[in-house]
Structures are given as structure tokens and as C-alpha cells.
Amino acid sequence: MFCRSLVSQCAQGMRRFSSSSRVSGTAVHAGVILQRDPIVRQTAKGFEAIADKYFAWLEYISADRFPRDLFFKQGSSNERNWIEQEKVRASEWYFDPSSKPKERARNKLQEEGAESEAMPLKSVREQLVEVQPRETAADAAGDVRSLERKLERTLYLIVKDKSGQWVFPQGEVQEKELLHEAARRNLKNTCGGKISVWTVGRGPVGHHQTSDYTAFFIKGHILAGQAAPAKSLVSDFKWVTREEIETAVLPDYWKSVKDILSTN
Amino acid sequence: RYELMKNILFYRDPRSLPELSNDDLERHLTILRAQNIYKKTTSNQRTAERNRKFAAMASAYEALEKADPRLYEEACKQESNITFPRQMRVPTDTPPIKIWDY
């Protein structure tokens, strides 16, 4: 009995001075919630889109006569484009059909309409600028490792650890290391050094408690580069939106993490 | 030409809507009310989300204080002259030709 208590005392002493133990006896881990911010603005959807259309139309019909002579050179392509647009708009009416003006005598549109070409020409500016599609190749392919997917949304980096669970990249905090330094080091160890990251501040944005350790998360924004997982620590990675995380991650983990993530 | 510009800028009648029937007015007021409701709900959702984020951060700090006082002390210190990195881009209306810098 004496031997056993001595051994246990030694063990306790050892624990107190070990690098990963703290006051309460649970280890502290530091991780990074790395996010790729939206690249493209959100468009108005649903009710907002329709309401915008209505109010834009209201502005249009209550506006003064457009001084066409002042804005457009006679016979220019811009003028032709405007005439085409006016013809389309003439058919729009959201009030009582009976109150719709029969003949919108705006700048003798009908006369000009017969003269103009069938297809509206692009203005010089439109010819020079080619607008890129909002749905990228990565979207079409459903490539979850790509950073070019879902340009409107915030993407978060999750990795598959040794036990096969999807988590945010994390690791232990060493002796004499600060939380944000540990988080950056762990991210570099798990995901390679070829990512340029801006970690926000020195403190955690959230935490996840397990029986063995408490993981504290630091927020990070990826500025450039791509993750290159170290096979010894992490088997896979993906960049996912908030809803996709909910399905990928264990329910306990999701509960700790859901309030940290942005809905957009 | 200057006369035209002068007239446009200074001598114009104030704008007015065309005549609205009773139904039109009702529709218009309904749309206005719907838009107000929409704006309020989205605003409240955004505020609630922000509050949840803050609460998560606060509880993390509490847990850190209990777990490791040294780390907590260091985490509470604030860096001076914090700036956003220059490479952090603002969302645009349409995507760039080169979407991501690898």
C-alpha cells in the first residue's frame, strides 16, 4: 500500500510538470477555424429580388422625361440599345391593367423601332469586358477541395483526422507557447506551409470540450495558397459551407462549433 | 444646349406617381409592409447571429481561464495598431478572371 501511494504520488508529480497538463488536468489544444471569405457579392433572392424590381419600376414610371438628345449622339449604338430597352420596359405595368397608358409616346419610339436592326449591338464597353460566370468549374464538378467553389459563401477548412472524423485543424499546445502561436503551428503542421493566413487576435472564438482535452479555436482568414495535408496527421481535407459542416461532423462537435460559423 | 441643361437641372416639376386606384394603393401598401417585415426579420437574424458568436467567444474565454491561467492572460492582451491585411479582398459583383491566388 505504501508503494502504491508512493507510485501514485510520483505519477501525480510527473503529470503536474508535464508539458500538456494544466491546472484542471485536461490538456489544452489549439486549432484554427480557417475561412475563405466570399469572393462575390450575394444577389437579391426571392422576395427581395421581386420587391427590388417593383420599386425600380415605380422609380421609372414616376421619373421625368429622359433628355435623350442630351445623353446620346444621334444614331449611335448606345442610343439604339437604349431604344431597345425602352421598348421592353413599355410592356411592364404592375398597376391596374385598365390604367395602363395605351400609347407611350416617348421620343417617337415606334418610328425608330422600324429603322433599328433586329439584334441590339453591344456598346464598346460591353465588348471589351467579358463577365465571368458566378458558377465556376469547381461548382459544376462538385470539387469540395477547391477554393473556387461557391463564390458567394464562406468556406471553412475541415480535415479528417486519424480516427476518421472531420474536425478543424488542431493540435497540442507546447510548453511556453501562446495560444495563437500554437494554433498557427498546428495548422502549418497539418496543412502545409504553402498557405498565407491571417489569424485574428490572440484569443479563442470558441471551444470544444472532450474528456481528454479542450480545443480552443482561433479564427483565421486564408489570403492565398491551398492546403497540402500532411499524411501522417491528416488523411483528407475539404472546403465546405456551414450546412455541409453540419452533415460532415459529429453532433457533439457541431453543437460546440455551430455558433462560431457565419450563415453566409 | 446650355438652356436644355439649365431646364433639366433647375426647372423641373417634382415627381409624382400616376393615379392609383384603391386596389393599386392597397397593393402598394401591402408591398411596403412586406418589405418592412422582411428588412426587420433579416436584421434581427443578423443581430442574433452576431450575439451567438460573441457568446461562444465569451464562453471560450471562461473555459480558457479555468483550463490555463497563463494562456488566458496572454489571450486577454490586445495588440496595438491592428490592421486588415492588404491581400484581403472585398467581394465584387462578378468573379475575377483569376479567381484564386495559389
Side-chain angles (χ1 to χ4, degrees):
Chain A
M1 208 164 123
F2 174 76
C3 288
R4 226 187 320 159
S5 67
L6 187 64
V7 162
S8 63
Q9 223 176 29
C10 281
Q12 271 183 4
M14 295 277 280
R15 225 176 344 138
R16 210 163 277 140
F17 291 110
S18 109
S19 62
S20 56
S21 82
R22 301 287 178 264
V23 175
S24 62
T26 53
V28 163
H29 284 202
V32 174
I33 294 186
L34 192 61
Q35 62 183 69
R36 189 276 269 145
D37 299 310
I39 291 172
V40 136
R41 253 181 41 175
Q42 280 192 308
T43 47
K45 292 181 190 69
F47 171 76
E48 206 179 347
I50 297 166
D52 283 352
K53 203 174 166 193
Y54 174 75
F55 287 111
W57 172 79
L58 220 55
E59 283 265 326
Y60 177 73
I61 58 159
S62 60
D64 290 322
R65 189 196 82 87
F66 181 72
R68 178 180 118 174
D69 303 324
L70 186 66
F71 277 94
F72 297 124
K73 188 178 171 191
Q74 206 168 32
S76 66
S77 59
N78 273 344
E79 192 189 33
R80 254 178 282 148
N81 281 332
W82 178 79
I83 290 164
E84 293 294 325
Q85 282 174 25
E86 285 287 288
K87 276 197 274 174
V88 170
R89 286 189 130 162
S91 58
E92 271 188 333
W93 189 258
Y94 296 126
F95 287 158
D96 247 325
S98 54
S99 60
K100 180 175 177 178
K102 294 289 163 59
E103 215 178 279
R104 308 191 88 207
R106 280 177 174 250
N107 306 312
K108 303 166 203 171
L109 277 175
Q110 254 128 41
E111 281 179 36
E112 246 101 1
E115 288 168 27
S116 70
E117 290 157 34
M119 283 289 288
L121 295 169
K122 281 190 189 173
S123 68
V124 176
R125 195 152 176 270
E126 276 181 309
Q127 283 166 9
L128 289 170
V129 175
E130 204 187 288
V131 169
Q132 303 298 313
R134 293 167 78 94
E135 302 264 315
T136 55
D139 273 308
D143 181 14
V144 282
R145 291 198 194 89
S146 172
L147 278 159
E148 301 183 8
R149 194 176 71 104
K150 301 233 181 229
L151 302 178
E152 261 186 19
R153 308 287 310 281
T154 311
L155 295 182
Y156 296 96
L157 177 69
I158 48 174
V159 291
K160 202 170 188 180
D161 64 3
K162 295 243 193 86
S163 57
Q165 286 161 24
W166 288 100
V167 288
F168 292 113
Q170 62 172 45
E172 287 182 4
V173 177
Q174 287 166 357
E175 186 97 29
K176 291 196 176 150
E177 199 179 26
L178 297 181
L179 199 66
H180 64 286
E181 291 166 0
R184 282 201 80 114
R185 183 184 53 76
N186 286 319
L187 179 69
K188 193 172 176 186
N189 290 342
T190 48
C191 296
K194 296 248 169 111
I195 23 173
S196 171
V197 170
W198 178 52
T199 47
V200 188
R202 297 161 71 103
V205 282
H207 70 296
H208 173 65
Q209 194 105 45
T210 56
S211 49
D212 303 322
Y213 62 84
T214 317
F216 292 94
F217 304 112
I218 300 252
K219 189 181 194 182
H221 298 260
I222 181 170
L223 306 170
Q226 174 64 293
K231 292 293 170 186
S232 54
L233 296 165
V234 143
S235 57
D236 200 7
F237 76 99
K238 55 185 181 181
W239 291 94
V240 283
T241 58
R242 191 174 181 266
E243 307 87 50
E244 289 164 6
I245 293 181
E246 187 174 5
T247 51
V249 136
L250 293 178
D252 234 5
Y253 200 75
W254 171 247
K255 216 169 134 189
S256 307
V257 142
K258 67 181 169 61
D259 289 335
I260 312 170
L261 309 175
S262 299
T263 342
N264 173 25
Chain B
R1 181 160 262 251
Y2 296 120
E3 276 299 317
L4 184 65
M5 283 204 287
K6 207 165 74 168
N7 285 333
I8 290 161
L9 288 170
F10 303 115
Y11 302 116
R12 284 201 149 181
D13 298 324
R15 289 200 205 175
S16 61
L17 283 172
E19 286 206 9
L20 291 163
S21 63
N22 276 341
D23 287 346
D24 283 338
L25 186 65
E26 206 178 322
R27 277 192 282 264
H28 182 68
L29 294 174
T30 317
I31 293 170
L32 276 178
R33 189 168 152 67
Q35 201 187 43
N36 274 334
I37 292 167
Y38 176 80
K39 274 196 235 174
K40 275 209 191 98
T41 44
T42 46
S43 170
N44 288 342
Q45 280 166 6
R46 264 183 265 130
T47 318
E49 188 183 316
R50 242 180 287 133
N51 290 335
R52 282 196 296 270
K53 281 185 182 174
F54 186 83
M57 189 169 77
S59 75
Y61 268 88
E62 280 176 28
L64 185 61
E65 189 177 16
K66 285 185 203 146
D68 191 332
R70 176 189 75 94
L71 289 179
Y72 175 76
E73 282 291 318
E74 292 294 328
C76 285
K77 287 182 187 170
Q78 283 188 331
E79 290 164 19
S80 55
N81 302 324
I82 303 168
T83 49
F84 280 88
R86 200 182 59 81
Q87 295 144 293
M88 218 168 143
R89 296 183 64 155
V90 177
T92 50
D93 286 336
T94 53
I97 295 168
K98 191 184 168 197
I99 297 175
W100 189 255
D101 174 21
Y102 292 101

